[in-house]
DNA sequence: AAGATAAGTAAATGTTTATTTACTTAAAAA
DNA sequence: TTTTTAAGTAAATAAACATTTACTTATCTT
């Protein structure tokens, strides 16, 4: 038996994310990807059944799961509400601003029917995707600290502004007047937090 | 001279939006589109230089400009802040939930480098995209009613949750437990409004 | 009514696509 | 060391792609 070359596997995923970030998902082809990763097209098909399978695994394993871990680093569901919000917001901001290609694919996750379906199925499978956050929100609802909305609705209120701010961070990237600083992120986190408090 | 057949032109745009909503932007091909619109591929190329040109015009003219108009219907920048927020939120919600294909392309606008670039250029050209809302926000900052953030940051705080709720509306579509009702939208609007008040 | 002209079509262009075939190579097991 | 086996490659396949060519048609102008 011959063992898999893990470096090549990593190169394939890294190059795929880069192409998606630079040219868009609609311009990622398997041949372009193979060439960019310095690999034969066949090599990709050893691990992945087809293009859809590759994209779904790239999205779920390489992006969502990594993002999930980054968000809850040093976070505990027992934290004070404002404290927990700050922690998750800063974690997400740091991760995303340093992983532009991952961020690009996350945005596609809300657009592409394929990725969106994969995302929903994963959510259903695990019961709960970001479960420490689920517990965190539930605890604060039960304690009467924040308003009582379904989990989905709560997340829609608490996190999408951050993703939009990250988009703006990249829009202003390399321009001297960068307005999306960590400080602005913290102020925005306070705004969002204030809104949901009872 | 022979005049353009406006019905065919409309059919092309309508079918394009439908294909994008059903199969994703990455699965829209000019030949598939021509067949779906019952038109020769050449017909598309009479009005549009190439695929990129078509997509950009579809996005800007068919989706963004229509969306902009819908949002500010019966809205006046001189409205009370909470009132104006409610009006724009409800307008956007009604428009998007009744125009799923437009919504699908709006989401791609934040993902695809091509569309994102087109969007930014349009923003720059007009100085200001949703300008009644620009004035509305500026007036409320100056009056000390809401917190003073740059326009971009304000919009990131005030509108992305609504788009996320519309996504969830469609996720729950046709399921009996639809949780995203107009009433929930209004409650969420209040949450967002409360956060930004001084 | 005739001619001019742009809108329209069907079919073809050459290219790129996802995926496969036929072959080679590296290393684990014998 | 030899055999086995999956990992890997380069080149090929057939289908789908964006766009064009060569031709037809509808209607405005005269």
């Amino acid at each position: 038996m011959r063992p898999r070359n893990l470096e090549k596997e990593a190169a394939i995923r890294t190059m795929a994310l880069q192409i998606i970030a630079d040219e868009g998902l609609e311009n990622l082809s398997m041949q372009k990807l193979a060439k960019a990763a310095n690999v034969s097209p066949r090599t990709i098909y050893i691990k992945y059944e087809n293009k859809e399978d590759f994209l779904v695994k790239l999205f779920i394993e390489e992006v969502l799961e990594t993002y999930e871990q980054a968000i809850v680093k040093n976070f505990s569901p027992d934290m004070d509400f404002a404290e927990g919000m700050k922690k998750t917001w800063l974690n997400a901001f740091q991760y995303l601003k340093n992983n532009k290609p991952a961020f690009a694919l996350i945005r596609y996750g809300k657009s592409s029917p394929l990725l969106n379906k994969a995302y929903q199925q994963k959510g259903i499978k695990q019961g709960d995707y970001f479960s420490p956050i689920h517990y965190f929100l539930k605890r604060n609802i039960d304690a009467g600290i924040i308003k009582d909305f379904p989990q989905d609705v709560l997340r829609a209120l608490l996190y999408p502004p951050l993703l939009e701010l990250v988009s703006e961070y990249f829009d202003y990237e390399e321009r001297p007047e960068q307005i999306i600083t960590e400080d602005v992120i913290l102020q925005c986190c306070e705004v969002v937090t204030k809104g949901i408090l009872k």
Side-chain angles (χ1 to χ4, degrees), chain A residues 80-148:
Chain A
D80 167 72
F81 182 70
E83 219 41 51
M85 282 292 291
K86 244 192 256 181
K87 184 53 104 190
T88 55
W89 266 57
L90 279 182
N91 279 344
F93 179 63
Q94 294 298 344
Y95 174 76
L96 294 173
K97 84 173 198 183
N98 294 318
N99 294 276
K100 188 173 181 171
F103 179 63
L105 192 51
I106 286 173
R107 295 244 100 170
Y108 271 108
K110 295 285 171 186
S111 318
S112 154
L114 173 68
L115 298 184
N116 195 52
K117 211 178 112 200
Y119 179 77
Q120 278 178 250
Q121 282 178 351
K122 181 166 172 57
I124 290 161
K125 222 184 256 169
Q126 301 201 175
D128 220 357
Y129 199 71
F130 294 98
S131 71
I133 292 185
H134 179 100
Y135 177 73
F136 172 68
L137 294 175
K138 188 176 179 335
R139 192 177 59 72
N140 280 282
I141 292 170
D142 293 347
I145 291 168
I146 62 172
K147 295 200 180 99
D148 186 3

Side-chain angles (χ1 to χ4, degrees), chain A residues 165-180:
Chain A
L165 290 166
V166 173
S167 275
E168 290 177 9
Y169 172 85
F170 287 122
D171 291 344
Y172 283 104
E173 211 183 14
E174 297 176 33
R175 280 198 263 161
E177 82 275 25
Q178 174 61 273
I179 59 173
I180 313 299

Side-chain angles (χ1 to χ4, degrees), chain A residues 26-77:
Chain A
E26 59 276 28
N27 290 306
L28 176 75
S29 82
M30 297 305 262
Q31 284 178 136
K32 192 190 275 182
L33 171 58
K35 188 164 274 180
N38 237 305
V39 136
S40 161
R42 188 71 184 76
T43 305
I44 304 173
Y45 286 92
I46 292 169
K47 178 104 198 268
Y48 308 99
E49 221 181 283
N50 50 38
K51 192 182 182 182
E52 288 206 356
D53 182 45
F54 171 69
L55 286 177
V56 167
K57 285 186 173 139
L58 181 74
F59 179 54
I60 300 285
E61 295 171 10
E62 198 68 26
V63 170
L64 280 189
E65 289 177 355
T66 314
Y67 179 45
E68 175 188 11
Q69 286 173 10
I71 279 187
V72 296
K73 201 178 168 189
N74 299 323
F75 165 83
S76 151

